[in-house]
Amino acid sequence: MSQTTPALRLTNLFLTPGTRTRKDPDAVFDRLVARATRGRTPLSAEYAADLDHLRLVLRAFAGFPGLSPLGWMAGQALVESRVRNRAVVGDLHARHPEIADQPVEAPVFVVGMPRTGTTLTYNLLSRSPAHRGPKLWEMTHLGLAVDSGTEAALIRRTRKKYAMVSRLSPTWDTIHPLYAEAEEEDTFIRAHSELHASAVPVPGYVERLRTFDHRPDYRFLRDALQVLSYERPARRWVLKHPANLFHMSAIRDVFPDARFVWTHRAPEVALASLCSLAEAAERLHRHPDAVDLAETGRTWLEIMSDGVSRALAQRAELGADVVLDLPYERLTGDPGTVLPELFGRLGARWGAEDEANLTAAREAPRQRAPHQYSLERYGLAPDDVRTAFADYLELLPALPRGA
């Protein structure tokens, strides 16, 4: 299959004049902040300081020689959406102080490397009647509850926005389809993620992520969830994003009663799938000759192995009652047993609606082309991965295998 589409080539041609602003990414960042905050309460000191880390991301986009015109537009959109989220949520909290009284109790974070069953687990947990996860349209248009007609219009706008990704990438719908009405990853709300590096290299930003305090970003997540809870039915929040695995201690500091469901699978399978996702993102954001698959493999082997090592240290501190393990073999081999068991461990009830959700989730992959990937495509061998994940591989044999 071709890795580019005529629509992608035409889009890059059309957007070429807009690349002139790459010369001064700091000025672009300042304009994005000014536009997002215009007419709203100024950003709090914590919100502003935390967002300033995104300058590094925008600078990295602007400075990457192989960036395509679409890549520059997408980099600005990524940053602007995160700035706008902060502006909207801060303004709503200032105008409606009672929003801060909305409880976010015992949230569940589904964590684990991609292709380890996180999506199935997240969908089943978040769609249970007493639970909810943030939907893509809600994160794209953060705000208070709206009437059904306005909601339908926002869903249509969100669907139109993300349909562009499907037209420009021949593989995106196979790897990670985006549905406006469906629950999605909380990275669409928060500012920071190691997965920003899937578009262009952002080494300075990724290095900062290893050491800076992530709690402000998760405090913002809490503030946003309170906005999404206000004047809506009270339900338990369920969240998902692969990089949340690396920051469980920070999450627990902000959400003291949070629980984690860590899905597990052989890292060589998970890493190959992640590299495939990164390749699709690179081909959207870069000129064709700037996609280096061997570099993709090296980058994500380092990011993921380092992050998982840090997660193992945090796991030891948090304890078994906080981090619940879910091996992929159990999840796919006997989901009708393991998922009700997981619900019980989380203090949730498994019922007829959950059974129906499970049936629908098991049917969905059959309606899409299979996602195909291999380590070798990215210059990696299984032994490379096993060496990098040696400490994680020591954990896997100890995980429960039976019902």
Side-chain angles (χ1 to χ4, degrees):
M1 176 185 291
S2 172
Q3 298 296 331
T4 62
T5 65
L8 179 59
R9 292 189 288 272
L10 286 172
T11 299
N12 277 318
L13 183 64
F14 177 76
L15 294 175
T16 296
T19 59
R20 291 190 295 267
T21 57
R22 286 176 60 183
K23 297 176 182 177
D24 192 350
D26 284 338
V28 173
F29 184 86
D30 291 338
R31 286 197 295 271
L32 295 180
V33 173
R35 185 160 63 228
T37 56
R38 189 175 299 124
R40 296 188 172 109
T41 306
L43 293 174
S44 69
E46 179 170 274
Y47 279 10
D50 191 45
L51 275 180
D52 202 48
H53 298 308
L54 284 178
R55 283 186 186 271
L56 290 177
V57 175
L58 198 61
R59 288 174 184 168
F61 270 83
F64 179 58
L67 188 72
S68 68
L70 176 63
W72 177 231
M73 186 193 77
Q76 294 175 82
L78 181 155
V79 171
E80 184 169 17
S81 67
R82 272 64 178 181
V83 175
R84 185 176 59 251
N85 283 349
R86 290 298 204 284
V88 168
V89 170
D91 184 62
L92 288 173
H93 271 265
R95 295 175 185 272
H96 304 275
E98 65 274 17
I99 289 176
D101 297 327
Q102 293 296 306
V104 182
E105 296 177 344
V108 178
F109 288 79
V110 178
V111 298
M113 289 189 288
R115 213 63 185 177
T116 60
T118 52
T119 298
L120 174 61
T121 305
Y122 175 56
N123 288 347
L124 268 293
L125 281 167
S126 64
R127 294 170 187 174
S128 193
H131 297 167
R132 69 166 298 194
K135 298 181 187 298
L136 183 58
W137 77 266
E138 292 177 309
M139 294 186 284
T140 306
H141 304 283
L142 269 177
L144 301 180
V146 295
D147 60 67
S148 59
T150 302
E151 178 177 319
L154 292 176
I155 290 172
R156 286 194 298 271
R157 286 172 58 186
T158 305
R159 189 181 297 132
K160 182 177 180 180
K161 174 181 178 178
Y162 289 102
M164 178 63 69
V165 179
S166 301
R167 289 195 292 270
L168 298 178
S169 170
T171 58
W172 197 270
D173 280 354
T174 297
I175 300 171
H176 189 126
L178 294 167
Y179 303 111
E181 308 95 317
E183 296 78 8
E184 255 300 338
E185 299 184 354
D186 61 75
T187 184
F188 286 91
I189 296 180
R190 297 185 297 103
H192 303 301
S193 171
E194 285 80 354
L195 269 70
H196 293 340
S198 62
V200 301
V202 287
Y205 175 71
V206 170
E207 183 60 33
R208 184 173 292 190
L209 290 183
R210 292 190 176 104
T211 58
F212 80 35
D213 184 356
H214 287 265
R215 288 175 296 180
D217 200 29
Y218 288 106
R219 281 195 286 268
F220 172 72
L221 174 62
R222 178 200 60 205
D223 296 349
L225 295 179
Q226 288 175 324
V227 168
L228 292 176
S229 299
Y230 184 59
E231 296 186 335
R232 294 172 169 100
R235 294 190 177 97
R236 184 184 192 179
W237 282 102
V238 182
L239 292 309
K240 174 206 168 194
H241 181 53
N244 285 339
L245 175 65
F246 311 157
H247 312 300
M248 291 188 291
S249 292
I251 293 170
R252 185 77 172 177
D253 280 348
V254 176
F255 303 96
D257 53 358
R259 308 282 292 282
F260 302 92
V261 177
W262 186 345
T263 57
H264 300 277
R265 195 180 187 186
E268 56 265 36
V269 178
L271 190 68
S273 176
L274 176 57
C275 287
S276 177
L277 175 64
E279 179 189 350
E282 290 171 7
R283 294 192 184 280
L284 279 174
H285 293 85
R286 306 182 186 190
H287 293 297
D289 58 0
V291 176
D292 183 338
L293 299 185
E295 179 61 27
T296 302
R298 290 190 296 269
T299 296
W300 288 103
L301 179 63
E302 179 181 356
I303 290 175
M304 295 307 295
S305 60
D306 176 74
V308 169
S309 291
R310 287 185 278 122
L312 289 171
Q314 295 170 52
R315 166 199 175 92
E317 296 175 357
L318 292 174
D321 61 326
V322 175
V323 183
L324 309 182
D325 296 306
L326 183 56
Y328 182 81
E329 293 83 357
R330 289 200 69 204
L331 175 63
T332 57
D334 190 9
T337 298
V338 73
L339 286 167
E341 177 187 282
L342 175 66
F343 271 56
R345 295 180 68 192
L346 292 168
R349 178 183 175 274
W350 177 271
E353 192 166 336
D354 302 298
E355 291 281 0
N357 288 341
L358 175 58
T359 299
R362 297 178 78 177
E363 289 294 327
R366 301 175 188 176
Q367 301 169 15
R368 300 196 307 266
H371 176 200
Q372 298 178 339
Y373 46 86
S374 70
L375 279 177
E376 292 74 19
R377 180 173 176 81
Y378 305 99
L380 298 173
D383 284 348
D384 299 328
V385 180
R386 295 187 191 109
T387 298
F389 286 88
D391 50 355
Y392 178 60
L393 288 169
E394 291 180 4
L395 167 71
L396 295 186
L399 299 179
R401 300 292 169 181

